[in-house]
Amino acid sequence: MSLAAVDVHPGLNPAQQQAVAHFEGPILVLAGAGSGKTRVLTARVANLIEHHGVDPSRILTVTFTNKAAGEMRERIGRLLGSEPRGMWSGTFHSIGARMLRRHAALVGRTPNYTIYDETDTLGVIKRLMERQRISARDIAPKAISNRISDAKNSLSTPEELAASSMDPITRAAAAVYADLEPEMRAGNAVSFDDLLVLPVRVFRDHPEIRDRYSEQFRFVLVDEYQDTNRAQYQFIRSVAHAHSNVMVVGDDDQSIYGWRGADIRNILDFERHFPAARVVRLEENYRSTPNILAVANAAISSNVGRKGKTLRATLPGGEQVTEVATLDERDEAEWIVEEIKARQSRDGIALSDAAVLYRTNSQSRALEDSFRRHAMPYRLVGSVRFYDRREIRDLVSYLKLIANPWDDEAFRRAVSVPKRGLGETSIDTLGEISRKAQLPMLETAGRADLVDVLRPAARKALGEFSEMIARMRLLAAEASVDELLRDLIDTIQYGAYLQVEGPESARERSDNVNALISGAAELVVEEGGEVGLTPLDHFLQRAMLIAGVDVLDSSADAVTLMTLHNAKGLEFPMVIVAGLEDGLFPLGQSIDEPSMLEEERRLFYVGVTRAERKLYLTHAETRRRNGETMPSMRSRFLKEIPAGMLEERKTIKLRSLGRRSMFVDSPSRATWGERAVRRNHGTPEWRKPAVDRDVDASQDEALYVRGERIKHKLFGGGTIAEIAGAGRDVKAVIDFDDENVGRKTIKLAYTTLERGLG
């Protein structure tokens, strides 16, 4: 198919044609939800290649998920009739990883460096805190990690963070930050943030390399630009500095990641950053009915910080959007299940056509209870990621160490599983010896002259472990990754180790191990990948960079339950947005902060625009929160929608048992959302509990994290060693300080833990 006459391409509307036909110079495409932005991106790449004769190797396309990158390459291939060989396409992180391997020596690494995920990085931070005598009981390591991550993504140095520190957490973070890069360099490792920050540093310190990439990539296309942070913005500016042939596609009304560093100003100020920029608005929506879009347009219109656009429906008619008032979260969940069953019977919808979206992870508990009670299949998106499961982390730590002998984090985990008679004291002593000798722990373990201070049994175990890894490294040079894994599992007798936990647990974990082996066997190193990397390097990079949404199984006939953040980029024929109450959605802490409230409203807009045919908006009169049943107030987002746009319904329980008139409007009884605001009012940030930023702001993470200090009313203080499961089935493995108590597995639904205590 020729795209030479793309301006009359029958599949594109006039605005899409303008964007696709654009050749040189910067262009901002404001793409409303469901407006066909992926089609525009792929058609423009194809047009550059087919009509303008641009070599695919001169094109760089950047997406936010590996799945989107893969789909883009496939679509372009179909348009052209062949694969765009040589084109770079991937996420910011995968492209950054690829560039870093080319220039690893410039940042003190070798090309086979290890990518640390958040858990690995947190382990390094904890050890640095111990060295600096910063108590994890006083300041949570995750709080330190979040401050450092924020600083990196804003391209702030440790010195700049220290200079701006106004509270104990930030001062402690600055001190740890100063030691973090040397520690990572010594381990030949990088964090997720480093995959963005280090390439920008290379561009800054080596202009000739920046110029080389700017010459190579004459056309740069970026998807989801509203979600970029400062480091990502600077990365794009550097690569495009010689020509400004940049197309960014995004929607300022869907900028929902400010809590993790995204800066909406990148898209709002694009015309200031690129003064010659052309702006094209994609406002025709191909996803949702007019009634759904009317609600979406009304909801987002209250925001001030936006470019402004109005979605126009291309679909006819459709049902009215329904608002449902319920008695409490149990009644809400029951109504949701019954309504899905009714639509199944009446309209023949598949379960996979329905999605229930909510603001916080904790809301899934009542929903899951109801789905299980009715035996209705569901899938919970955002529960424990496959590569975060304990047995997978165990085996991947071995693979990391085999690929990168300098990786001390991988060594610490691998040498401890299965047990080899090595206690924490021996491992810590080995770590101290290694640090003083400036050697990786694996090399030190095999040096009898360096570990003579350890007891004989420990020296023997370390020597045998070192020899085993050496054998595996030789095997890895010849064997496929799945063969390497099978040999490794047999060598360390990992199957027997799993059996110790009991048959039920062992069966589930063994199935996961088999899935890991199968995934390794299916690994295909694509032509577009990095030249010179081993299959093991490719496998590890893919494992570290894959996102939960990348492996979402769309074929399963089950209702999808997920947070609104996880729903970004997805669409369903029927959507239910649950929990629309002030203090929950929007979150309580956003109500007095205009910028946070606008982001919450954008998140509501994202939820509304996931719906194709039918949308429900539900809220409860009372909701149980932190063990206390409290009255709720209908969300201000619902109040901002003009009268007549919503069909209003009440559940039978609310009509018969509702007590709203008794207290919700009473000045003496505040809703829990109002209480949250009052409770935090006037409290300095550093005096508030050091909670996980992601939990506090987005609620997309688990309620507790590994390594967190807690207190149990019966067993006393302890440290969370592992979290598993989801909803009411979440269990925590806790190492209690009292030796008589030891390690216990506790179901969190049946207990209350105090946080941050000894």
Side-chain angles (χ1 to χ4, degrees):
M1 179 190 71
S2 174
L3 294 178
V6 73
D7 57 330
V8 291
H9 192 284
L12 300 175
N13 65 41
Q16 291 173 330
Q17 289 174 4
Q18 289 180 41
V20 169
H22 180 81
F23 181 38
E24 293 181 312
I27 178 172
L28 166 62
V29 180
L30 288 172
S35 62
K37 68 181 178 68
T38 304
R39 191 174 194 183
V40 167
L41 278 165
T42 54
R44 179 165 187 258
V45 171
N47 191 54
L48 287 172
I49 296 169
E50 180 101 343
H51 180 55
H52 295 288
V54 177
D55 190 298
S57 65
R58 311 300 295 276
I59 299 172
L60 171 66
T61 63
V62 187
T63 64
F64 263 78
T65 67
N66 295 293
K67 182 181 179 183
E71 289 176 353
M72 188 177 294
R73 289 186 72 92
E74 287 177 12
R75 288 197 191 191
I76 294 168
R78 286 198 298 270
L79 285 174
L80 294 173
S82 63
E83 172 108 3
R85 295 175 69 87
M87 185 181 79
W88 281 36
S89 180
T91 65
F92 276 103
H93 291 94
S94 66
I95 290 168
R98 186 171 179 178
M99 288 181 172
L100 272 184
R101 294 198 191 278
R102 284 184 168 186
H103 311 290
L106 298 179
V107 292
R109 273 77 167 178
T110 68
N112 66 329
Y113 63 77
T114 299
I115 299 172
Y116 279 2
D117 63 13
E118 291 181 12
T119 303
D120 298 325
T121 304
L122 193 61
V124 177
I125 286 172
K126 288 176 181 176
R127 266 178 281 288
L128 292 176
M129 289 175 66
E130 289 171 6
R131 282 184 211 164
Q132 298 190 21
R133 292 180 170 79
I134 299 170
S135 172
R137 297 188 181 193
D138 297 334
I139 300 176
K142 192 67 185 288
I144 299 284
S145 178
N146 287 336
R147 291 289 203 282
I148 293 173
S149 180
D150 288 342
K152 285 189 173 186
N153 286 319
S154 65
L155 298 179
S156 298
T157 65
E159 295 75 22
E160 289 169 336
L161 183 62
S164 66
S165 62
M166 302 292 289
D167 60 80
I169 295 177
T170 307
R171 281 194 290 274
V176 172
Y177 186 14
D179 289 347
L180 183 58
E181 170 58 16
E183 191 75 9
M184 298 290 277
R185 208 162 45 232
N188 194 30
V190 298
S191 67
F192 280 154
D193 295 327
D194 290 335
L195 294 175
L196 301 174
V197 174
L198 293 179
V200 171
R201 186 182 302 170
V202 169
F203 293 154
R204 182 198 65 198
D205 296 342
H206 302 275
E208 73 283 2
I209 293 176
R210 178 201 62 187
D211 295 346
R212 198 183 311 152
Y213 280 110
S214 197
E215 177 61 30
Q216 176 182 346
F217 299 123
R218 300 300 293 181
F219 293 90
V220 180
L221 298 88
V222 186
D223 194 11
E224 304 286 4
Y225 191 66
Q226 77 281 348
D227 293 330
T228 54
N229 57 36
R230 179 170 174 76
Q232 291 163 332
Y233 159 76
Q234 195 58 51
F235 179 92
I236 296 300
R237 282 299 295 260
S238 297
V239 172
H241 88 99
H243 49 73
S244 294
N245 292 331
V246 181
M247 171 189 259
V248 300
V249 180
D251 184 1
D252 51 316
D253 291 334
Q254 295 187 69
S255 179
I256 59 172
Y257 293 112
W259 52 273
R260 70 179 190 196
D263 191 345
I264 192 174
R265 292 174 299 180
N266 289 346
I267 193 168
L268 295 180
D269 295 344
F270 183 81
E271 293 151 280
R272 184 167 63 82
H273 298 152
F274 297 90
R278 182 180 185 182
V279 178
V280 175
R281 285 175 167 80
L282 304 184
E283 297 177 302
E284 290 189 42
N285 177 283
Y286 297 91
R287 176 189 299 158
S288 306
T289 62
N291 287 328
I292 293 171
L293 294 184
V295 170
N297 288 326
I300 201 63
S301 65
S302 296
N303 271 9
V304 175
R306 61 190 296 255
K307 286 280 191 181
K309 64 183 170 303
T310 301
L311 294 179
R312 300 188 297 272
T314 59
L315 299 175
E319 295 184 45
Q320 196 171 11
V321 175
T322 302
E323 176 188 347
V324 183
T326 67
L327 182 65
D328 54 27
E329 71 271 18
R330 294 181 298 278
D331 184 37
E332 179 183 52
E334 284 291 305
W335 181 88
I336 287 171
V337 173
E338 293 290 353
E339 183 67 11
I340 293 173
K341 287 167 69 175
R343 300 296 297 222
Q344 238 188 332
S345 300
R346 186 172 72 243
D347 304 327
I349 70 163
L351 293 180
S352 57
D353 288 340
V356 184
L357 313 180
Y358 38 83
R359 182 63 184 85
T360 68
N361 270 320
S362 59
Q363 288 170 258
S364 74
R365 180 172 294 179
L367 290 164
E368 288 185 82
D369 283 348
S370 188
F371 274 88
R372 279 197 291 264
R373 199 158 40 244
H374 290 267
M376 180 175 284
Y378 69 93
R379 55 178 179 171
L380 185 67
V381 178
S383 52
V384 180
R385 196 179 71 112
F386 178 76
Y387 287 100
D388 283 337
R389 291 175 174 135
R390 193 191 76 199
E391 60 278 11
I392 304 303
R393 294 190 71 88
D394 287 346
L395 295 174
V396 168
S397 69
Y398 276 92
L399 296 182
K400 285 182 175 180
L401 188 59
I402 291 165
N404 175 18
W406 294 272
D407 189 344
D408 286 352
E409 284 304 301
F411 176 92
R412 285 177 179 272
R413 183 167 192 125
V415 80
S416 302
V417 179
K419 298 293 184 185
R420 294 180 169 83
L422 295 165
E424 284 189 25
T425 302
S426 296
I427 300 301
D428 288 343
T429 302
L430 178 69
E432 190 61 29
I433 295 170
S434 299
R435 195 162 66 89
K436 289 178 180 177
Q438 296 186 321
L439 293 173
M441 292 177 73
L442 178 63
E443 183 175 343
T444 306
R447 291 273 301 270
D449 58 316
L450 293 177
V451 295
D452 55 356
V453 298
L454 298 175
R455 55 190 174 81
R459 293 201 300 269
K460 182 174 182 291
L462 288 171
E464 290 173 350
F465 179 80
S466 177
E467 290 172 3
M468 184 265 290
I469 295 297
R471 288 197 304 274
M472 291 294 163
R473 282 179 56 76
L474 290 174
L475 179 62
E478 304 291 337
S480 62
V481 181
D482 59 307
E483 290 171 347
L484 178 64
L485 268 170
R486 288 191 183 93
D487 198 295
L488 171 66
I489 290 165
D490 288 342
T491 299
I492 64 176
Q493 299 182 330
Y494 195 72
Y497 166 73
L498 292 179
Q499 291 298 328
V500 174
E501 298 186 353
E504 185 176 343
S505 175
R507 190 180 308 114
E508 180 183 348
R509 295 190 188 277
S510 294
D511 287 344
N512 291 334
V513 169
N514 289 330
L516 180 68
I517 296 171
S518 298
E522 295 165 3
L523 176 70
V524 176
V525 180
E526 299 174 358
E527 180 278 329
E530 302 160 63
V531 177
L533 287 191
T534 67
L536 179 56
D537 291 329
H538 276 288
F539 177 79
L540 289 172
Q541 178 164 308
R542 179 180 177 276
M544 290 300 98
L545 296 181
I546 199 166
V549 73
D550 289 330
V551 293
L552 187 59
D553 180 12
S554 59
S555 65
D557 190 27
V559 179
T560 300
L561 309 183
M562 64 171 78
T563 65
L564 285 136
H565 281 97
N566 278 325
K568 177 78 180 299
L570 303 177
E571 55 190 48
F572 301 89
M574 173 178 165
V575 169
I576 301 165
V577 181
L580 276 157
E581 298 131 36
D582 266 10
L584 179 59
F585 194 18
L587 288 177
Q589 61 262 44
S590 71
I591 291 174
D592 286 342
E593 295 286 342
S595 63
M596 290 177 66
L597 185 60
E598 291 213 344
E599 181 157 321
E600 290 286 296
R601 190 176 287 111
R602 292 193 293 269
L603 187 58
F604 177 52
Y605 174 84
V606 165
V608 169
T609 54
R610 297 313 92 197
E612 296 174 347
R613 300 290 180 270
K614 179 61 184 179
L615 173 66
Y616 297 93
L617 308 171
T618 70
H619 53 92
E621 182 181 84
T622 64
R623 190 172 294 272
R624 192 168 180 82
R625 183 89 168 169
N626 298 325
E628 183 181 358
T629 298
M630 302 184 68
S632 300
M633 182 180 292
R634 180 173 176 255
S635 173
R636 64 193 60 210
F637 296 157
L638 294 174
K639 297 174 184 175
E640 292 168 355
I641 298 170
M645 278 193 185
L646 301 177
E647 172 202 12
E648 297 183 4
R649 290 166 61 178
K650 292 183 180 181
T651 63
I652 295 173
K653 272 193 175 181
L654 180 64
R655 290 199 298 270
S656 59
L657 300 174
R659 301 178 298 279
R660 176 170 290 278
S661 60
M662 293 173 58
F663 52 71
V664 164
D665 296 324
S666 168
S668 63
R669 289 288 300 268
T671 66
W672 60 259
E674 291 171 322
R675 288 191 191 182
V677 174
R678 294 177 188 177
R679 194 164 52 242
N680 286 334
H681 184 69
T683 306
E685 186 65 31
W686 66 270
R687 291 294 299 274
K688 297 175 186 175
V691 297
D692 177 0
R693 167 195 59 188
D694 299 355
V695 173
D696 188 43
S698 85
Q699 294 290 318
D700 276 349
E701 300 293 337
L703 294 175
Y704 296 93
V705 296
R706 284 186 294 273
E708 185 172 0
R709 292 287 300 171
I710 54 83
K711 186 174 183 180
H712 188 279
K713 61 183 178 183
L714 181 61
F715 303 129
T719 302
I720 293 179
E722 184 183 353
I723 293 286
R728 290 192 64 83
D729 293 326
V730 173
K731 295 177 182 177
V733 178
I734 303 173
D735 291 324
F736 287 101
D737 300 338
D738 187 338
E739 293 182 0
N740 294 322
V741 177
R743 171 172 284 199
K744 287 190 177 294
T745 300
I746 293 176
K747 197 168 184 178
L748 297 184
Y750 302 141
T751 190
T752 300
L753 303 176
E754 294 182 61
R755 314 181 77 134
L757 300 174

